[in-house]
Amino acid sequence: MNNQKAFSFRQGELLADAFEKSGVDYLFIGKSGAVILGYPDTTQDVDIYPKKDPENGRRIVDALVKLGFKLDEETREAIIQGKDFVQIKSGPFDIDLIFAPDGLEDYEGVKKRAVWVKNLPVAHILDIIKSKEAAKRKRDIRDLPFLREFAKAIKGSKK
């Protein structure tokens, strides 16, 4: 079921609840992470940076199935093995599992810099920007000046 509705904070909460119940180690990243941080834009999917570990992968599969995602055997195996990028469009919303985000080498380091918005663990805005800079996709390049201004605004508001 591929709906084209924009990502909502509620979807993030549903995913976070399911991941917490299953013990998944992850962070929100990408534009959905920025939106959770307050970035004034929309995105069509949820971007997740999970820890790459077979046990964590099994927990992800468990959580997604409980949320109503239909996962074929190939997709389940890709998640368990931590394939760099797994796109899933067979559930209540679209999700991208990004086990190897461009420009980010160390999950634990990114996790240490992460912030919490309610019960949602989100990669730091500077890590989100770093990943988008490294990806060099047209849409990311277009968004980067706005994300950088947003990062400055966040920093300025904490003084």
Side-chain angles (χ1 to χ4, degrees):
M1 159 166 107
N2 181 8
N3 57 24
Q4 286 299 312
K5 291 173 29 177
F7 165 76
S8 72
F9 194 86
R10 181 69 188 133
Q11 291 170 334
E13 289 179 317
L14 289 171
L15 190 60
D17 288 345
F19 278 5
E20 183 179 336
K21 288 176 185 169
S22 294
V24 175
D25 192 355
Y26 73 101
L27 300 168
F28 286 89
I29 198 165
K31 194 181 271 188
S32 58
V35 168
I36 291 169
L37 293 172
Y39 182 65
D41 202 349
T42 61
T43 185
Q44 299 302 312
D45 55 18
V46 181
D47 299 318
I48 298 296
Y49 179 15
K51 181 177 182 180
K52 187 174 182 173
D53 169 78
E55 185 55 41
N56 198 48
R58 285 188 271 284
R59 292 179 188 137
I60 293 167
V61 168
D62 178 65
L64 292 178
V65 168
K66 286 177 181 173
L67 268 175
F69 285 85
K70 307 288 186 248
L71 304 176
D72 60 30
E73 198 54 43
E74 183 179 340
T75 303
R76 289 173 186 250
E77 191 58 31
I79 295 169
I80 292 168
Q81 295 305 315
K83 183 179 172 191
D84 287 356
F85 181 80
V86 182
Q87 190 171 53
I88 306 168
K89 296 179 175 275
S90 61
F93 47 86
D94 294 349
I95 184 170
D96 292 342
L97 298 173
I98 310 162
F99 287 93
D102 292 319
L104 303 178
E105 301 297 323
D106 175 36
Y107 176 82
E108 292 303 325
V110 175
K111 185 176 177 180
K112 285 179 186 169
R113 293 183 297 277
V115 297
W116 287 82
V117 178
K118 293 191 177 186
N119 64 329
L120 309 181
V122 184
H124 192 281
I125 189 65
L126 295 179
D127 285 321
I128 292 171
I129 290 169
K130 183 178 180 182
S131 179
K132 288 190 169 292
E133 286 171 339
K136 297 181 181 161
R137 297 177 302 189
K138 279 186 180 180
R139 67 178 179 257
D140 292 331
I141 292 167
R142 183 183 63 240
D143 287 339
L144 279 169
F146 302 106
L147 285 166
R148 289 183 188 116
E149 285 301 314
F150 177 69
K152 287 179 191 174
I154 290 174
K155 185 177 180 185
S157 71
K158 293 182 180 177
K159 288 184 177 179

